[in-house]
Amino acid sequence: MAAMTSIAQARRRASELRREIEEHNYRYYVLDAPIISDAEFDRLMVELGELERAHPELLAPDSPTQRVGAAPLDRFERVEHRIPMLSLENAFTREELFDLERRIRDRIGDRPISYVGELKIDGLAVSLWYERGVFVRGATRGDGFVGEDVTQNLRTIRQVPLRLGPEAPDVIEVRGEAYMSRRAFAEINQRRMEEGEPLFANPRNAAAGAVRQLDPTITAERRLKFFPYAVGVIAGRTLRTHWETLDLLKRLRFAVNPHSERLPDLEAAWAFSHTWETRRKALDYDTDGIVIKVDDLDVQRELGEVSRRPRWAIAYKFPAEEATTRVREIAITVGRYGALNPVAMLEPVHVGGVTVRKATLHNEDIIAKKDVREGDWVVVRRAGEVIPEIVKSIPERRTGEERPFVVPASCPVCGGKVVKPPGEVISRCVNAACRAQLEQRVKHFVSKGAMDIRGLGEQWALRLLDEGLIKDVADLYHLTKGRLLKLERVKDKTATNLPAAIDASRSRPFPRVLYALGIQHVGEKTAEKLAETFRTMDALMAASEEELAQVRDVGPVVAGIVRAFFEEPKNRKLVERLRAAGLRMAYEAKAGPLTGKTFVLTGSLTSLTRGQAQDAIRGAGGSVSDTVSRKVDVVVAGEKPGSKLEKAKNLGIALMDEAEFLALLASRA
Ligand code: IVH
């Protein structure tokens, strides 16, 4: 009789403790608002543990003591999903996101639709099965139809309630993402490093490994978390919207992600994605996009799925800045100046919002330093607009089949000699007639900032060279409709338009012609400066290295290169042929209110940068000089003018302050 009482009491106390512990657990792990100390919590756990040991018949799967310490398994059982676990269609662009609605409209017409936006958590999908409010089985997604029974591992996740709140439906299958926080990831990797164990590549891999551990004590150490995002099977309850589903999950004591939002349309979804593209960086867990779901569950059912993806949802992926892929081979391209540029040809991968197929490797020193081999797995990064680059190779993934890179002894294009001047990092093909260099020169010559020959892109440049219609850029000006029509598949329209476009390029101003020549280090700015200073091609070709070096922004190195370029008879000949073709070989200031006037700027202007002021002067037909001489017409003095102001005063040159200068520019209108 006494024993009976004691068992009944023990049972009551145990169930009281369980409720209390789970309540504190919920407050701590889900609400993030504990009301007792860790020591008090531990005391409750110890008391419950002792009770259960004294009365093993009281043990229940929903006891908090069952979260840790279950015995290791030999293997996982299979779990068939009653409703398949689908995956999502991905969108990488605004267009692709908006396609979602176009497809929906095709099926349901113009009925109103609204959406829910959620973060796409970067972990792994799991399913949690509850019967009469008790967690009975947890499974991985597997192939979507059959997963693995990882119940005892998922029990270790504190955000997985072992018993649901009083509103629990008879049966409910909750689906969501098991993930590892960034903090736990960092701490676990730190410890692994100290213990000399291999590191996890990212929180997702770490989480996936933890869920598939046969020994649940290891899973427990990995401190996984869980966000629910859907309900699979549900019995004894009807839900009308996804938003309502999330609300129910919250009341059932799940840690629903707090950043989900109801969105009236896809425009709002697009704005939501923009907000999170930045804000996600401050979160303590990785997200790789957002998920947009049709809110109305009837509409979801009506839309159904196609090839295992729902028609009612889409994942818009944030442009990842880094991704891993494989190097198929290391190819060599030959640059305009003969540089052998190693390029990693990659298995296509999405990075930074685009598909990347190749990445520059710069030179062999960098290849050696990063130890990139053909066949290697590598991390590629694309930050902002820059060309993708290889961050590092992943030697851990080598199979032994990888081939280290060797610089070819001869040019892969023309077979010419390859040299690497001492002190330089780049190997070059020294054959100036190398076909690759020629191609690059033609491409540059016709490009937008240079002669801007419309309709003559890379394809045409190559074709003209291949067909032998041109041997250098001057030959472009001798192309005729008749010759073009002799080529296969060339239409009358093209044969007419191309020579016309080439003809139109004859009127490009001298600085563009100079830039189009493609002298190394002579970019658009430098070409402009040189043209302005020397005024004519003849004067420029005659200029000494010293004279060249005096031009602002032209240092001794560039001066030497320009000089050497014009000393080369082949280059002089090319210039003459271009001159004969009618290209401009002298600087002509644009006509405008400042035509013929030379300006010097000194001091700083408050409303314009130096560059903007220069552009404005040139735009109105004037020219800009760096030094004050009698040839200068006006000196514009801003704040804190230098010695140029003194000199101008001495020479009696007209002076202007910023206000007068702005008024003058305004008068051009
Ligand atoms: S909904 C039928 N919502 O993304 C729709 N999935 O390829 C089922 N994921 O396997 C998924 N966050 O692992 C949904 N808020 C979220 C999600 C999410 C992450 C994962 C999930 C799924 C994959 C889709």
Side-chain angles (χ1 to χ4, degrees):
M1 208 37 199
M4 282 295 287
T5 320
S6 116
I7 284 182
Q9 271 172 348
R11 189 182 303 279
R12 220 171 311 140
R13 179 60 185 154
S15 99
E16 203 174 272
L17 281 168
R18 283 175 193 155
R19 222 183 350 245
E20 221 177 306
I21 289 168
E22 278 301 275
E23 175 70 23
H24 291 306
N25 190 64
Y26 173 66
R27 289 188 150 274
Y28 188 91
Y29 290 103
V30 178
L31 303 180
D32 197 15
I35 50 168
I36 59 166
S37 69
D38 290 0
E40 280 173 276
F41 183 84
D42 289 345
R43 265 200 300 279
L44 297 174
M45 281 294 281
V46 168
E47 189 186 340
L48 179 61
E50 280 168 358
L51 261 181
E52 288 175 349
R53 260 193 304 283
H55 305 276
E57 69 276 20
L58 295 184
L59 254 175
D62 66 332
S63 173
T65 56
Q66 300 307 297
R67 283 196 186 273
V68 283
L73 300 172
D74 294 332
R75 59 183 188 90
F76 297 119
E77 298 296 327
R78 284 161 39 101
V79 177
E80 212 165 300
H81 300 298
R82 291 261 294 272
I83 302 173
M85 290 182 80
L86 305 177
S87 56
L88 293 167
E89 163 102 16
N90 288 327
F92 295 95
T93 62
R94 184 186 150 96
E95 262 284 284
E96 288 168 0
L97 171 65
F98 278 73
D99 278 347
L100 171 72
E101 184 144 329
R102 275 191 280 279
R103 286 195 300 265
I104 292 175
R105 290 280 173 227
D106 284 349
R107 299 189 160 253
I108 71 153
D110 51 11
R111 257 184 287 165
I113 322 173
S114 66
Y115 301 90
V116 172
E118 291 171 8
L119 295 178
K120 186 166 187 298
I121 314 297
D122 208 3
L124 76 155
V126 295
S127 144
L128 311 172
W129 190 274
Y130 292 84
E131 285 174 8
R132 266 161 291 159
V134 178
F135 175 55
V136 293
R137 194 170 50 257
T140 59
R141 174 175 179 275
D143 62 5
F145 298 100
V146 178
E148 288 174 320
D149 185 336
V150 288
T151 312
Q152 50 175 359
N153 291 348
L154 297 182
R155 243 199 261 283
T156 70
I157 303 180
R158 305 298 162 136
Q159 283 124 340
V160 169
L162 298 178
R163 179 176 275 282
L164 303 176
E167 273 189 81
D170 301 341
V171 172
I172 184 169
E173 182 205 5
V174 176
R175 293 173 173 185
E177 202 83 349
Y179 67 99
M180 186 181 281
S181 72
R182 290 182 178 159
R183 183 154 146 214
F185 171 72
E187 287 169 4
I188 288 167
N189 255 356
Q190 175 67 33
R191 210 178 48 228
R192 290 175 74 86
M193 195 167 73
E194 284 159 11
E195 287 164 8
E197 285 181 73
L199 303 187
F200 293 118
N202 52 49
R204 180 170 43 85
N205 286 0
V211 168
R212 301 198 59 258
Q213 276 294 332
L214 288 167
D215 181 354
T217 53
I218 297 179
T219 314
E221 285 167 11
R222 304 272 168 88
R223 295 166 18 228
L224 298 180
K225 293 184 155 191
F226 177 76
F227 279 130
Y229 52 64
V231 164
V233 175
I234 181 165
R237 175 124 195 178
T238 320
L239 291 164
R240 277 173 304 124
T241 64
H242 181 63
W243 192 251
E244 212 176 276
T245 307
L246 294 180
D247 204 56
L248 172 68
L249 291 171
K250 236 176 278 174
R251 291 200 308 274
L252 295 177
R253 318 196 117 192
F254 283 94
V256 174
N257 187 288
H259 305 303
S260 304
E261 268 184 51
R262 267 189 140 157
L263 305 167
D265 51 32
L266 288 186
E267 210 53 72
W270 181 243
F272 179 76
S273 83
H274 261 273
T275 306
W276 285 101
E277 201 172 321
T278 320
R279 279 183 69 189
R280 68 182 177 131
K281 293 180 181 136
L283 298 172
D284 189 32
Y285 44 88
D286 283 359
T287 52
D288 58 346
I290 55 161
V291 184
I292 301 298
K293 304 172 180 177
V294 167
D295 194 23
D296 191 314
L297 298 182
D298 282 335
V299 175
Q300 282 192 6
R301 275 185 285 271
E302 197 174 324
L303 288 167
E305 59 185 78
V306 59
S307 55
R308 291 161 71 180
R309 291 162 206 274
R311 286 201 188 87
W312 44 266
I314 198 158
Y316 170 78
K317 296 290 216 73
F318 296 132
E321 276 151 14
E322 279 189 8
T324 53
T325 186
R326 265 188 72 239
V327 176
R328 285 182 175 157
E329 63 163 330
I330 297 178
I332 300 264
T333 63
V334 181
R336 211 179 334 143
Y337 311 109
L340 302 192
N341 305 310
V343 183
M345 307 305 286
L346 307 169
E347 287 185 355
V349 62
H350 263 287
V351 197
V354 300
T355 306
V356 167
R357 295 190 164 77
K358 46 189 178 179
T360 122
L361 281 164
H362 306 285
N363 59 57
E364 57 242 51
D365 287 6
I366 291 185
I367 298 179
K369 206 169 109 209
K370 292 184 178 169
D371 187 18
V372 178
R373 305 179 189 179
E374 290 183 316
D376 260 350
W377 280 90
V378 291
V379 177
V380 286
R381 175 166 46 215
R382 188 176 164 277
E385 289 305 302
V386 299
I387 308 164
E389 63 162 356
I390 290 186
V391 182
K392 57 171 187 177
S393 60
I394 310 173
E396 292 82 357
R397 293 185 74 170
R398 281 190 185 142
T399 61
E401 302 273 291
E402 295 73 16
R403 297 163 307 278
F405 174 72
V406 251
V407 189
S410 55
C411 172
V413 176
C414 70
K417 204 166 125 193
V418 167
V419 297
K420 185 172 164 187
E424 276 202 29
V425 288
I426 291 171
S427 301
R428 286 177 196 282
C429 159
V430 291
N431 171 18
C434 170
R435 166 62 202 255
Q437 295 186 43
L438 192 55
E439 270 174 35
Q440 299 294 330
R441 284 201 294 269
V442 175
K443 275 200 294 200
H444 171 73
F445 187 84
V446 304
S447 71
K448 208 146 179 239
M451 302 309 279
D452 190 14
I453 303 180
R454 280 168 218 160
L456 209 170
E458 178 167 354
Q459 307 264 327
W460 263 110
L462 297 188
R463 179 130 191 237
L464 294 174
L465 284 164
D466 285 342
E467 304 275 2
L469 279 175
I470 62 168
K471 293 209 162 43
D472 64 21
V473 294
D475 288 340
L476 287 171
Y477 294 95
H478 302 291
L479 274 181
T480 57
K481 183 175 173 177
R483 281 197 213 168
L484 287 169
L485 280 175
K486 291 213 182 84
L487 301 181
E488 261 176 66
R489 296 187 316 273
V490 171
K491 300 213 177 70
D492 196 72
K493 195 170 156 207
T494 316
T496 311
N497 289 347
L498 203 56
I502 295 170
D503 189 41
S505 76
R506 287 190 164 96
S507 62
R508 303 281 176 257
F510 175 46
R512 294 255 213 136
V513 175
L514 189 52
Y515 169 64
L517 288 178
I519 306 169
Q520 201 176 359
H521 297 307
V522 177
E524 283 177 82
K525 282 249 158 57
T526 309
E528 178 81 37
K529 270 266 172 254
L530 289 169
E532 216 178 72
T533 310
F534 294 97
R535 318 298 290 187
T536 67
M537 186 64 100
D538 289 329
L540 178 63
M541 289 202 290
S544 70
E545 219 170 303
E546 293 72 44
E547 285 169 314
L548 287 163
Q550 265 164 35
V551 178
R552 201 197 175 110
D553 300 336
V554 177
V557 174
V558 178
I561 289 172
V562 173
R563 189 65 231 134
F565 181 89
F566 288 119
E567 266 166 24
E568 168 61 47
K570 282 199 206 107
N571 293 335
R572 294 183 87 94
K573 200 165 148 219
L574 179 70
V575 169
E576 291 322 315
R577 293 183 58 222
L578 291 172
R579 192 199 303 268
L583 270 55
R584 304 237 165 129
M585 295 290 161
Y587 190 78
E588 298 145 77
K590 277 182 222 152
L594 306 187
T595 298
K597 299 258 188 291
T598 301
F599 286 72
V600 165
L601 298 164
T602 177
S604 56
L605 303 175
T606 53
S607 55
L608 294 175
T609 64
R610 183 61 72 102
Q612 286 170 332
Q614 289 171 346
D615 286 350
I617 292 167
R618 292 190 188 117
S623 56
V624 186
S625 166
D626 286 319
T627 50
V628 178
S629 70
R630 288 192 194 282
K631 285 189 232 155
V632 171
D633 299 285
V634 182
V635 170
V636 179
E639 276 169 26
K640 299 211 190 96
S643 60
K644 288 178 194 167
L645 179 60
E646 281 312 304
K647 197 165 171 197
K649 280 181 185 160
N650 290 339
L651 293 175
I653 294 170
L655 299 174
M656 270 186 194
D657 64 15
E658 182 168 348
E660 289 169 313
F661 174 60
L662 292 175
L664 176 71
L665 290 177
S667 74
R668 350 171 0 210

